[in-house]
Amino acid sequence: MGWNAGYAAMEPSVIAMYDTGALTKEILEAVMEPYKGSDCDSAGSRDLLAKDGLNVEQVICKVMEPEKYERVMKHPVWYEGEEPESGHHHGWFSNGAAHKLFWSIWNGHWEIC
């Protein structure tokens, strides 16, 4: 069982800053400092969406790796049998390439497990 409360605190902060246009890579790095190396767990998610419809995973990828984010969204790698209907988080949850990008930041860069 992970740190659900950590995710529940992080998610609205990241979304709020993104919605104001203030979220940069440097600010996101600072916001994520308390979570680095932790077991911050997405089970604490409230499924918040930014004003443009992106979830916190998408926001993190878009801010941290904008070119890679655009590439995985333009060239998704669907999990077998899970091609999404259009509009559902832009196919985010069925896109294996998107998951791999998020995990490279979440676990690879920030060492959150």
Side-chain angles (χ1 to χ4, degrees):
M1 190 162 174
W3 183 30
N4 297 349
Y7 200 96
M10 175 277 302
E11 183 181 37
S13 299
V14 170
I15 294 291
M17 283 186 275
Y18 175 78
D19 279 344
T20 67
L23 192 61
T24 64
K25 184 175 182 175
E26 293 76 21
I27 291 173
L28 183 54
E29 285 283 359
V31 168
M32 294 305 295
E33 195 61 40
Y35 309 98
K36 293 176 181 178
S38 76
D39 64 348
C40 188
D41 194 322
S42 63
S45 175
R46 292 183 235 148
D47 297 320
L48 301 178
L49 298 177
K51 290 178 184 176
D52 61 4
L54 301 183
N55 65 37
V56 75
E57 291 183 6
Q58 290 173 288
V59 167
I60 287 169
C61 290
K62 186 175 181 180
V63 170
M64 292 296 292
E65 296 284 358
E67 296 85 14
K68 290 179 182 179
Y69 172 78
E70 289 300 320
R71 191 168 36 250
V72 301
M73 296 310 289
K74 286 181 182 175
H75 305 286
V77 177
W78 305 121
Y79 291 120
E80 187 174 335
E82 290 192 31
E83 286 193 37
E85 293 182 26
S86 62
H88 181 69
H89 296 292
H90 312 284
W92 184 258
F93 296 109
S94 298
N95 185 342
H99 175 77
K100 190 180 266 187
L101 174 59
F102 174 73
W103 197 247
S104 75
I105 298 165
W106 190 255
N107 183 260
H109 180 68
W110 291 331
E111 298 180 345
I112 302 172
C113 52

